[in-house]
Amino acid sequence: MGHIVVSENLSLDGVVRDPTGEEGFARGGWFERMDDATRRAWAEIEDEEARSASALLLGRRSYEWFARRWASRPGDWADRLRALPKYVVGSTVDDLGWGVVTRLHGDPVRAVARLRATVDGDIVVYASRLLVHTLIDHDLVDELRLTTFPCVLGAGERLFGATGAPKTLRLADVRTVGAELTIGTYRCAR
């Protein structure tokens, strides 16, 4: 059975919107503020995560964002992301040439539950804020890996939205990345 892992970059106040500043959000670009040593350390951890993943699960917009940037990027990390099977939740997904891509049809909760039952290993979710809200609300997330950037934005779309019931998490690990970031790993208690 698969293990759904949400892997997100966020500000201290939980904002995930426009980390690279490409969307025009006035408070965007916060991802780009880390120093070079921290960026290298973060990239090593992300590469390690991709190497241990069995698949990627993305919402449509996140898939399109990643595909445009990673489909032709050189390097081992990019090669690994291209090689991973990708499952995309969304009714209007175009194949953008980013390796093996499967669109999940119908109700996303049922589709992800079926996917989880058929894939062995980690199914990593990058970005995909709305999908993450749905997965958390329906108890389909097994683990959250939250990379926190040392900034408070005060506005913007946040990772966590309203849920139908409180969700209990257990801290599994905390580590620093470079001189600026922390990664908190939480396991969902059921």
Side-chain angles (χ1 to χ4, degrees):
M1 179 149 109
H3 185 81
I4 305 280
V5 176
V6 171
S7 180
E8 293 281 349
N9 298 312
L10 66 160
S11 68
L12 273 171
D13 56 342
V15 174
V16 293
R17 182 171 181 194
D18 198 11
T20 60
E22 296 173 64
E23 298 171 26
F25 174 50
R27 298 175 188 205
W30 46 271
F31 178 89
E32 304 299 331
R33 296 180 193 142
M34 71 179 117
D35 65 46
D36 289 340
T38 300
R39 183 179 304 279
R40 283 190 300 276
W42 172 86
E44 286 177 22
I45 290 167
E46 291 298 308
D47 180 57
E48 177 185 311
E49 179 177 72
R51 294 200 179 291
S52 66
S54 295
L56 296 180
L57 173 62
L58 301 160
R60 179 195 53 84
R61 289 185 339 177
S62 294
Y63 167 76
E64 290 171 352
W65 191 92
F66 278 99
R68 282 192 298 273
R69 287 155 183 81
W70 286 88
S72 61
R73 187 176 283 188
D76 293 340
W77 182 14
D79 291 344
R80 176 59 183 156
L81 290 178
R82 256 188 305 283
L84 279 170
K86 290 160 222 37
Y87 297 90
V88 182
V89 175
S91 58
T92 59
V93 177
D94 292 325
D95 181 0
L96 299 175
W98 193 33
V100 179
V101 179
T102 303
R103 187 171 66 120
L104 299 179
H105 299 279
D107 176 50
V109 172
R110 289 186 185 143
V112 171
R114 282 191 304 271
L115 175 66
R116 190 172 176 220
T118 60
V119 172
D120 288 326
D122 287 351
I123 304 166
V124 178
V125 181
Y126 292 141
S128 307
R129 178 183 60 85
L130 297 175
L131 175 60
V132 169
H133 288 184
T134 300
L135 297 176
I136 288 173
D137 197 36
H138 289 88
D139 296 319
L140 289 170
V141 173
D142 297 293
E143 184 173 299
L144 292 125
R145 296 176 189 156
L146 306 178
T147 303
T148 305
F149 286 68
C151 58
V152 175
L153 299 178
E157 296 157 345
R158 287 174 167 72
L159 177 60
F160 299 106
T163 60
K167 305 297 175 187
T168 301
L169 306 171
R170 297 223 172 5
L171 182 64
D173 186 45
V174 176
R175 62 184 179 175
T176 58
V177 180
E180 301 178 40
L181 309 178
T182 60
I183 298 178
T185 301
Y186 300 87
R187 299 228 167 81
C188 296
R190 294 193 173 77

